[in-house]
Amino acid sequence: RPKVTEAQRRNQLADEVVGALIAGGNVVIPAFAIERAQELLFYIHAGIAANRLPPSIPVFLDSPMAVSATEIFKRHPESLEPETIAMLQKGDDPLVLPSLRFVRETADSIKLNMIKGGAVIIAGSGMATGGRVVHHLRHNIGRPSTGVIIVGFAAIGTLARQIVDRAPVVRIFGEEIPVKAKVYT
Protein backbone atom coordinates (compact mmCIF):
# COMPACT_ATOMS: atom_id res chain seq x y z
CA ARG A 1 0.00 0.00 0.00
CA PRO A 2 1.44 3.44 -0.91
CA LYS A 3 2.90 5.55 1.87
CA VAL A 4 0.68 8.43 2.98
CA THR A 5 2.46 11.78 3.05
CA GLU A 6 2.26 14.29 5.89
CA ALA A 7 0.31 16.70 3.65
CA GLN A 8 -2.16 13.94 2.75
CA ARG A 9 -2.68 13.18 6.46
CA ARG A 10 -3.35 16.84 7.20
CA ASN A 11 -5.80 17.14 4.32
CA GLN A 12 -7.57 13.90 5.25
CA LEU A 13 -8.04 15.04 8.84
CA ALA A 14 -9.39 18.40 7.67
CA ASP A 15 -11.80 16.67 5.24
CA GLU A 16 -13.08 14.33 7.96
CA VAL A 17 -13.59 17.16 10.44
CA VAL A 18 -15.39 19.31 7.86
CA GLY A 19 -17.60 16.36 6.88
CA ALA A 20 -18.81 15.88 10.46
CA LEU A 21 -19.33 19.61 10.94
CA ILE A 22 -21.37 19.85 7.74
CA ALA A 23 -23.46 16.90 8.96
CA GLY A 24 -24.11 18.87 12.15
CA GLY A 25 -22.24 16.55 14.48
CA ASN A 26 -19.23 16.47 16.70
CA VAL A 27 -15.87 14.94 15.96
CA VAL A 28 -14.55 12.63 18.67
CA ILE A 29 -10.89 11.68 18.50
CA PRO A 30 -9.44 9.20 20.99
CA ALA A 31 -5.80 10.22 21.39
CA PHE A 32 -2.77 9.38 23.42
CA ALA A 33 -1.94 12.31 25.68
CA ILE A 34 1.72 12.69 24.80
CA GLU A 35 2.71 13.54 21.25
CA ARG A 36 -0.44 12.30 19.47
CA ALA A 37 -2.70 14.97 21.01
CA GLN A 38 -0.15 17.67 20.16
CA GLU A 39 0.22 16.31 16.64
CA LEU A 40 -3.55 16.64 16.22
CA LEU A 41 -3.43 20.26 17.38
CA PHE A 42 -0.63 20.82 14.84
CA TYR A 43 -2.75 19.28 12.04
CA ILE A 44 -5.84 21.28 12.98
CA HIS A 45 -3.70 24.42 13.08
CA ALA A 46 -2.42 23.57 9.58
CA GLY A 47 -6.02 23.04 8.39
CA ILE A 48 -6.99 26.46 9.69
CA ALA A 49 -3.89 28.08 8.16
CA ALA A 50 -4.71 26.49 4.78
CA ASN A 51 -8.35 27.66 5.00
CA ARG A 52 -9.53 24.04 5.03
CA LEU A 53 -10.97 24.40 8.54
CA PRO A 54 -12.83 27.38 9.99
CA PRO A 55 -10.81 29.34 12.60
CA SER A 56 -13.88 29.44 14.84
CA ILE A 57 -14.12 25.66 15.16
CA PRO A 58 -14.32 24.80 18.87
CA VAL A 59 -11.60 22.31 19.77
CA PHE A 60 -11.55 20.77 23.23
CA LEU A 61 -8.45 19.01 24.51
CA ASP A 62 -10.11 16.95 27.22
CA SER A 63 -7.27 15.27 29.05
CA PRO A 64 -5.42 16.72 32.03
CA MET A 65 -2.30 14.80 30.99
CA ALA A 66 -2.51 16.02 27.37
CA VAL A 67 -3.04 19.59 28.57
CA SER A 68 0.04 19.36 30.81
CA ALA A 69 2.09 17.75 28.04
CA THR A 70 1.06 20.51 25.63
CA GLU A 71 2.13 23.16 28.13
CA ILE A 72 5.49 21.39 28.58
CA PHE A 73 6.04 21.23 24.81
CA LYS A 74 5.31 24.95 24.62
CA ARG A 75 7.86 25.68 27.37
CA HIS A 76 10.49 23.51 25.68
CA PRO A 77 10.41 24.28 21.96
CA GLU A 78 13.90 22.79 21.58
CA SER A 79 12.24 19.35 21.84
CA LEU A 80 10.04 19.99 18.81
CA GLU A 81 10.50 19.08 15.15
CA PRO A 82 12.51 21.55 13.01
CA GLU A 83 9.37 22.56 11.05
CA THR A 84 7.63 23.46 14.30
CA ILE A 85 10.63 25.39 15.62
CA ALA A 86 10.71 27.39 12.36
CA MET A 87 7.02 28.22 12.79
CA LEU A 88 7.59 29.39 16.36
CA GLN A 89 10.49 31.59 15.26
CA LYS A 90 8.08 33.31 12.85
CA GLY A 91 5.61 33.88 15.68
CA ASP A 92 3.23 31.13 14.56
CA ASP A 93 2.51 28.69 17.39
CA PRO A 94 1.02 25.47 15.96
CA LEU A 95 -0.21 24.41 19.41
CA VAL A 96 -2.45 27.47 19.68
CA LEU A 97 -5.82 27.51 17.97
CA PRO A 98 -8.30 30.41 18.01
CA SER A 99 -11.03 28.35 19.72
CA LEU A 100 -8.95 25.79 21.64
CA ARG A 101 -10.13 25.02 25.15
CA PHE A 102 -8.09 23.00 27.61
CA VAL A 103 -10.31 20.81 29.79
CA ARG A 104 -8.84 19.70 33.08
CA GLU A 105 -11.81 19.47 35.44
CA THR A 106 -14.18 16.50 35.37
CA ALA A 107 -17.24 18.75 35.60
CA ASP A 108 -16.12 20.63 32.48
CA SER A 109 -15.56 17.33 30.67
CA ILE A 110 -19.09 16.23 31.52
CA LYS A 111 -20.46 19.49 30.07
CA LEU A 112 -18.95 18.58 26.70
CA ASN A 113 -21.48 15.76 26.45
CA MET A 114 -24.21 18.40 26.19
CA ILE A 115 -22.73 19.71 22.91
CA LYS A 116 -24.71 18.08 20.11
CA GLY A 117 -22.72 19.36 17.16
CA GLY A 118 -19.98 21.54 15.83
CA ALA A 119 -17.11 20.63 18.16
CA VAL A 120 -13.90 18.65 17.95
CA ILE A 121 -13.25 16.69 21.13
CA ILE A 122 -9.79 15.19 21.56
CA ALA A 123 -9.66 13.00 24.65
CA GLY A 124 -7.74 10.07 26.12
CA SER A 125 -7.25 7.21 25.97
CA GLY A 126 -6.05 6.50 22.45
CA MET A 127 -7.42 2.95 22.39
CA ALA A 128 -10.64 4.05 24.11
CA THR A 129 -10.08 1.54 26.90
CA GLY A 130 -10.84 4.09 29.59
CA GLY A 131 -10.72 7.77 30.30
CA ARG A 132 -12.89 10.62 29.20
CA VAL A 133 -13.12 9.62 25.57
CA VAL A 134 -15.28 6.63 26.50
CA HIS A 135 -17.95 9.00 27.87
CA HIS A 136 -17.76 11.13 24.72
CA LEU A 137 -18.10 8.07 22.54
CA ARG A 138 -21.09 6.91 24.58
CA HIS A 139 -22.85 10.22 23.94
CA ASN A 140 -21.88 10.57 20.27
CA ILE A 141 -21.23 7.24 18.53
CA GLY A 142 -24.92 6.46 18.09
CA ARG A 143 -25.54 9.62 16.05
CA PRO A 144 -25.06 9.53 12.25
CA SER A 145 -23.87 13.15 12.27
CA THR A 146 -20.85 12.28 14.44
CA GLY A 147 -17.39 11.60 13.09
CA VAL A 148 -15.09 9.33 15.08
CA ILE A 149 -11.47 9.52 14.00
CA ILE A 150 -9.10 6.79 15.20
CA VAL A 151 -5.60 8.17 14.75
CA GLY A 152 -3.40 5.68 16.55
CA PHE A 153 -2.81 2.03 17.12
CA ALA A 154 -5.87 0.08 18.24
CA ALA A 155 -5.10 -3.30 19.79
CA ILE A 156 -7.43 -6.25 19.36
CA GLY A 157 -10.03 -6.33 22.11
CA THR A 158 -10.15 -2.56 22.63
CA LEU A 159 -13.12 -0.32 21.98
CA ALA A 160 -11.05 1.59 19.42
CA ARG A 161 -10.37 -1.66 17.56
CA GLN A 162 -14.07 -2.54 17.51
CA ILE A 163 -14.75 0.89 16.04
CA VAL A 164 -11.96 0.51 13.46
CA ASP A 165 -13.34 -2.91 12.51
CA ARG A 166 -16.76 -1.28 11.97
CA ALA A 167 -18.61 -3.25 14.67
CA PRO A 168 -22.31 -2.50 14.22
CA VAL A 169 -22.80 -2.34 18.00
CA VAL A 170 -20.34 -1.59 20.81
CA ARG A 171 -20.70 -2.08 24.54
CA ILE A 172 -19.92 1.02 26.60
CA PHE A 173 -20.47 0.97 30.35
CA GLY A 174 -22.57 -2.17 29.97
CA GLU A 175 -24.88 -0.57 27.41
CA GLU A 176 -25.06 -1.78 23.82
CA ILE A 177 -24.93 1.20 21.48
CA PRO A 178 -25.44 0.94 17.71
CA VAL A 179 -22.54 2.55 15.87
CA LYS A 180 -24.10 5.12 13.55
CA ALA A 181 -21.21 7.58 13.51
CA LYS A 182 -18.96 7.86 10.49
CA VAL A 183 -15.66 6.20 11.34
CA TYR A 184 -12.34 7.32 9.94
CA THR A 185 -8.86 5.90 10.47
Side-chain angles (χ1 to χ4, degrees), residues 114-137:
M114 305 306 280
I115 300 171
K116 298 301 177 200
V120 175
I121 302 168
I122 303 168
S125 74
M127 287 195 235
T129 54
R132 295 177 176 184
V133 77
V134 179
H135 295 274
H136 300 309
L137 288 168

Side-chain angles (χ1 to χ4, degrees), residues 46-57:
I48 291 169
N51 293 317
R52 295 181 64 93
L53 291 172
S56 60
I57 183 173

Side-chain angles (χ1 to χ4, degrees), residues 2 8 19 86 93 135:
Q8 288 171 320
D93 188 338
H135 295 274

